[in-house]
Tab-separated table of all heavy atoms in Angstrom:
chain	number	residue	atom	x	y	z
A	81	GLY	N	131.804	105.514	81.406
A	81	GLY	CA	130.377	105.533	81.702
A	81	GLY	C	129.530	105.527	80.450
A	81	GLY	O	128.491	104.864	80.399
A	82	ALA	N	129.970	106.258	79.429
A	82	ALA	CA	129.198	106.309	78.186
A	82	ALA	C	129.208	104.963	77.471
A	82	ALA	O	128.183	104.499	76.976
A	82	ALA	CB	129.763	107.395	77.272
A	83	LEU	N	130.365	104.327	77.424
A	83	LEU	CA	130.460	103.046	76.735
A	83	LEU	C	129.751	101.927	77.481
A	83	LEU	O	129.358	100.921	76.886
A	83	LEU	CB	131.937	102.671	76.530
A	83	LEU	CG	132.727	103.566	75.574
A	83	LEU	CD1	134.175	103.116	75.507
A	83	LEU	CD2	132.110	103.554	74.178
A	84	SER	N	129.594	102.086	78.781
A	84	SER	CA	128.960	101.021	79.572
A	84	SER	C	127.478	100.869	79.251
A	84	SER	O	126.887	99.828	79.535
A	84	SER	CB	129.130	101.308	81.067
A	84	SER	OG	128.417	102.487	81.433
A	85	ILE	N	126.871	101.903	78.670
A	85	ILE	CA	125.447	101.805	78.345
A	85	ILE	C	125.214	101.244	76.946
A	85	ILE	O	124.082	100.998	76.547
A	85	ILE	CB	124.758	103.181	78.456
A	85	ILE	CG1	125.290	104.152	77.397
A	85	ILE	CG2	124.927	103.754	79.849
A	85	ILE	CD1	124.574	105.478	77.361
A	86	ILE	N	126.302	101.033	76.177
A	86	ILE	CA	126.175	100.487	74.832
A	86	ILE	C	126.136	98.980	74.924
A	86	ILE	O	126.964	98.359	75.583
A	86	ILE	CB	127.345	100.945	73.940
A	86	ILE	CG1	127.368	102.472	73.834
A	86	ILE	CG2	127.219	100.318	72.556
A	86	ILE	CD1	128.530	103.001	73.039
A	87	ARG	N	125.175	98.377	74.272
A	87	ARG	CA	125.023	96.918	74.305
A	87	ARG	C	125.263	96.362	72.901
A	87	ARG	O	124.548	96.692	71.958
A	87	ARG	CB	123.628	96.543	74.786
A	87	ARG	CG	123.275	97.150	76.133
A	87	ARG	CD	121.848	96.813	76.535
A	87	ARG	NE	121.708	95.390	76.809
A	87	ARG	CZ	120.542	94.825	77.129
A	87	ARG	NH1	119.443	95.554	77.194
A	87	ARG	NH2	120.477	93.534	77.369
A	88	PHE	N	126.308	95.544	72.796
A	88	PHE	CA	126.641	94.932	71.524
A	88	PHE	C	126.029	93.532	71.481
A	88	PHE	O	126.339	92.686	72.302
A	88	PHE	CB	128.165	94.850	71.348
A	88	PHE	CG	128.832	96.199	71.331
A	88	PHE	CD1	129.366	96.741	72.487
A	88	PHE	CD2	128.901	96.920	70.157
A	88	PHE	CE1	129.972	97.978	72.465
A	88	PHE	CE2	129.508	98.163	70.127
A	88	PHE	CZ	130.046	98.701	71.281
A	89	ARG	N	125.168	93.295	70.504
A	89	ARG	CA	124.465	92.018	70.412
A	89	ARG	C	124.898	91.194	69.203
A	89	ARG	O	124.278	90.183	68.905
A	89	ARG	CB	122.951	92.263	70.346
A	89	ARG	CG	122.380	92.823	71.640
A	89	ARG	CD	120.872	92.899	71.568
A	89	ARG	NE	120.288	93.303	72.843
A	89	ARG	CZ	119.980	92.477	73.818
A	89	ARG	NH1	120.217	91.192	73.666
A	89	ARG	NH2	119.448	92.914	74.945
A	90	THR	N	125.933	91.623	68.505
A	90	THR	CA	126.394	90.857	67.350
A	90	THR	C	127.021	89.556	67.817
A	90	THR	O	127.971	89.556	68.596
A	90	THR	CB	127.418	91.667	66.536
A	90	THR	OG1	126.813	92.891	66.119
A	90	THR	CG2	127.856	90.886	65.315
A	91	ALA	N	126.495	88.443	67.334
A	91	ALA	CA	127.004	87.137	67.762
A	91	ALA	C	128.329	86.834	67.069
A	91	ALA	O	128.494	87.078	65.876
A	91	ALA	CB	125.987	86.055	67.438
A	92	ILE	N	129.277	86.295	67.831
A	92	ILE	CA	130.554	85.868	67.289
A	92	ILE	C	130.432	84.397	66.923
A	92	ILE	O	130.306	83.528	67.789
A	92	ILE	CB	131.688	86.081	68.306
A	92	ILE	CG1	131.782	87.561	68.704
A	92	ILE	CG2	133.002	85.602	67.724
A	92	ILE	CD1	132.080	88.479	67.557
A	93	LYS	N	130.432	84.085	65.619
A	93	LYS	CA	130.227	82.716	65.170
A	93	LYS	C	131.463	81.854	65.357
A	93	LYS	O	131.360	80.648	65.503
A	93	LYS	CB	129.810	82.720	63.695
A	93	LYS	CG	128.494	83.449	63.436
A	93	LYS	CD	128.133	83.421	61.969
A	93	LYS	CE	126.821	84.147	61.717
A	93	LYS	NZ	126.454	84.151	60.288
A	94	ASP	N	132.630	82.472	65.326
A	94	ASP	CA	133.881	81.738	65.455
A	94	ASP	C	134.671	82.336	66.604
A	94	ASP	O	134.859	83.563	66.663
A	94	ASP	CB	134.669	81.833	64.142
A	94	ASP	CG	135.869	80.903	64.120
A	94	ASP	OD1	136.268	80.441	65.211
A	94	ASP	OD2	136.404	80.655	63.038
A	95	ALA	N	135.134	81.484	67.525
A	95	ALA	CA	135.903	81.980	68.667
A	95	ALA	C	137.162	82.704	68.203
A	95	ALA	O	137.646	83.631	68.874
A	95	ALA	CB	136.275	80.820	69.589
A	96	ARG	N	137.659	82.328	67.040
A	96	ARG	CA	138.853	82.974	66.495
A	96	ARG	C	138.587	84.437	66.128
A	96	ARG	O	139.490	85.269	66.194
A	96	ARG	CB	139.298	82.180	65.263
A	96	ARG	CG	140.587	82.629	64.636
A	96	ARG	CD	141.002	81.624	63.565
A	96	ARG	NE	142.049	82.145	62.732
A	96	ARG	CZ	141.847	82.907	61.652
A	96	ARG	NH1	140.609	83.192	61.299
A	96	ARG	NH2	142.849	83.342	60.931
Side-chain angles (χ1 to χ4, degrees):
L83 293 178
S84 65
I85 66 175
I86 300 177
R87 305 177 68 183
F88 298 95
R89 292 186 174 273
T90 302
I92 301 299
K93 298 180 180 179
D94 190 343
R96 185 172 167 274

